[in-house]
Amino acid sequence: MTASGGAADTGTALDDLPCGYVETDPNGLITAANPHFCRLVARTAEELLGRVTVQSLLAPGDRIYFDTHYRPALQMHGEIREIAFELVRPDDDRVPVLVSSATAADNPQLTRTVVFEARDRRLYEKELLRARRAAERAEAQARSLAQALQQTFIPPSMPDVPGLELAGAYRPAGDGSQVGGDFYDVFQIGTGEWIVVVGDVCGKGIEAAVITSFVRHTLRALAVQWDDPSQILQALNTALLAHESDRFCTAVVIRLLRDDDRWLVSISSGGHPLPLLVGADGTVAEVGAAGSLIGVLAMPQLADERITLAPGDSLVIFTDGVTEARGDAGAFGVGGMLELVAGGVSSAAATTTKVLDTVLDFQAGTARDDIAVVAMIAREKAREGDDAATGRVHLDIEEKNRALRALEGLAALDD
């Protein structure tokens, strides 16, 4: 090894090291340097030994760091490892290196330093940083697109349904950055006939968002082809099984037919929490049968239940983000919902807000799953002469009889 003294007993092994090696005295002057270090700094041993310090070979910014951090740490701990510096050659070319130093145990006046060239590592790190930034940009764009898509999972505003007060609310899980699969929809399919749907596609993320959009739009198409909610869910089940994705969903479909002051209602649930019927007198009960998950079985078990909503009666529909919410007291459960709406519903909007606030408080303010809630209240028919102003639609006697006969016939088949 090339040396100015004190290193003759090291032999020549250090000369063959695939890294730079130098020894420095208490003043920082280089007293020994192997050939690899000389090549790194593009200087001869004669130019280095006893003439320059390692610090003087560094880039200007690194010299400051050497004084303020590197040297004090070395003096305090006796060693310091893998610090990134840049060596400056006479032609101003810069060589990225990793430097480790230690005070010699047998000679406290001697510091030994190993220098590894880091050009490839630095290029790799820069490429890795570029890849990470590109991935972060792609992730942010995907999240933005998914969140924009999620806005299509619920109506921008509830439609004005004569004789029915409606409200819906949606709260994504966590901080809202993760797209979920909860959705609801309300749309008209005929004179005085409406469909209300609340559903939940399993999972979260982009794929769940795509399937949720598929389910919501498929339900709209199927609702004009089939009369019974159970038939609509059966057709959706077939469509999901044929889809490339292995996602499944739960859903409740409610068909409403206006009959003067009351609503004739058919309900079918596919693995979804059952709606709650809240009477005008404050009584509350689940309605419908749970049924099978949608998109799992070729022949799901699905049934229709028929009820009547008189003025003041309400239906509250929700996803399992409500019932499966967990707090210190355990799960919120169906019991929590029954207790929450017992005693009557004053307004649809107040009910959805109350459900959201209560379930969030139950979870200490953090929703562990998406929450979707829809509330509807049957209202009395408008006063005589108000029909044109309110947009209310009355069924003529033939339409009414056909609807009632159809419902009665289906009820007989169910029995």
Side-chain angles (χ1 to χ4, degrees):
M1 186 180 84
T2 305
S4 63
D9 58 349
T10 62
T12 60
L14 295 177
D15 291 351
D16 298 327
L17 286 176
C19 63
Y21 173 83
V22 294
E23 295 177 358
T24 54
D25 65 16
N27 297 318
L29 287 172
I30 297 174
T31 58
N34 73 345
H36 193 95
F37 183 81
C38 294
R39 287 193 294 272
L40 284 176
V41 296
R43 290 172 172 83
T44 64
E46 290 73 17
E47 293 175 301
L48 296 175
L49 303 184
R51 296 176 179 270
V52 298
T53 63
V54 171
Q55 181 184 3
S56 67
L57 299 173
L58 301 177
D62 290 344
R63 295 176 193 171
I64 297 173
Y65 184 85
F66 190 96
D67 264 340
T68 58
H69 293 78
Y70 192 89
R71 193 198 307 274
L74 178 61
Q75 292 172 346
M76 181 178 297
H77 302 292
E79 65 176 4
I80 188 167
R81 298 180 181 278
E82 296 184 0
I83 304 300
F85 287 128
E86 285 187 333
L87 296 172
V88 181
R89 289 177 166 175
D91 61 0
D92 289 331
D93 181 29
R94 298 193 177 193
V95 181
V97 293
L98 290 177
V99 177
S100 298
S101 296
T103 301
D106 57 346
N107 183 2
Q109 302 299 311
L110 177 68
T111 299
R112 297 188 172 104
T113 298
V114 178
V115 183
F116 289 90
E117 187 172 0
R119 286 185 193 269
D120 292 341
R121 174 174 174 147
R122 194 68 60 85
L123 289 174
Y124 169 76
E125 290 173 345
K126 289 180 179 179
E127 184 60 33
L128 188 63
L129 181 60
R130 282 195 295 268
R132 181 201 288 178
R133 288 174 177 170
E136 289 172 348
R137 287 194 298 269
E139 182 181 0
Q141 184 179 24
R143 187 184 301 115
S144 177
L145 290 172
Q147 289 172 342
L149 178 60
Q150 189 166 49
Q151 296 304 310
T152 68
F153 297 170
I154 60 175
S157 62
M158 282 296 193
D160 182 14
V161 181
L164 196 67
E165 181 186 340
L166 278 166
Y170 174 76
R171 173 65 157 78
D175 61 2
S177 62
Q178 183 74 5
V179 179
D182 286 15
F183 68 96
Y184 65 83
D185 203 1
V186 180
F187 53 93
Q188 188 172 18
I189 58 172
T191 302
E193 289 187 88
W194 293 80
I195 294 287
V196 176
V197 179
V198 177
D200 180 6
V201 172
C202 73
K204 301 192 186 313
I206 303 301
E207 185 180 352
V210 171
I211 300 303
T212 303
S213 182
F214 168 78
V215 168
R216 183 169 180 262
H217 288 91
T218 299
L219 282 168
R220 279 188 166 239
L222 295 173
V224 299
Q225 300 178 39
W226 302 97
D227 293 327
D228 293 336
S230 62
Q231 293 176 315
I232 296 171
L233 287 176
Q234 175 66 69
L236 175 64
N237 185 77
T238 302
L240 263 181
L241 288 175
H243 198 278
E244 294 179 356
S245 172
D246 59 357
R247 303 270 176 169
F248 60 89
C249 75
T250 69
V252 60
V253 177
I254 300 174
R255 192 180 194 115
L256 301 110
L257 174 65
R258 183 70 190 274
D259 176 32
D260 291 328
D261 277 344
R262 65 178 184 165
W263 289 88
L264 308 177
V265 183
S266 297
I267 302 170
S268 185
S269 173
H272 198 84
L274 297 178
L276 300 184
L277 173 61
V278 186
D281 60 357
T283 58
V284 57
E286 292 181 283
V287 288
S292 303
L293 295 170
I294 306 301
V296 176
L297 303 174
M299 295 297 293
Q301 297 297 310
L302 299 166
D304 295 291
E305 180 167 336
R306 292 169 180 83
I307 62 172
T308 300
L309 286 184
D313 292 342
S314 308
L315 275 177
V316 182
I317 313 102
F318 45 88
T319 57
D320 62 8
V322 173
T323 53
E324 295 181 3
R326 300 196 68 84
D328 294 337
F332 190 74
V334 175
M337 276 299 298
L338 290 170
E339 182 180 347
L340 185 63
V341 299
V345 172
S346 59
S347 77
T351 299
T352 57
T353 299
K354 182 179 180 181
V355 171
L356 280 184
D357 290 346
T358 302
V359 174
L360 282 174
D361 288 345
F362 188 81
Q363 301 175 94
T366 301
R368 291 169 175 78
D369 195 4
D370 305 321
I371 301 171
V373 186
V374 173
M376 64 181 77
I377 307 174
R379 295 304 187 192
E380 294 181 358
K381 185 174 70 171
R383 296 187 305 273
E384 195 67 29
D386 288 347
D387 294 344
T390 61
R392 296 184 185 276
V393 178
H394 300 299
L395 305 180
D396 63 37
I397 190 65
E398 280 300 314
E399 288 177 320
K400 186 184 302 182
N401 287 338
R402 284 197 300 271
L404 290 173
R405 282 197 299 271
L407 287 172
E408 289 168 358
L410 290 168
L413 289 175
D414 289 343
D415 292 338

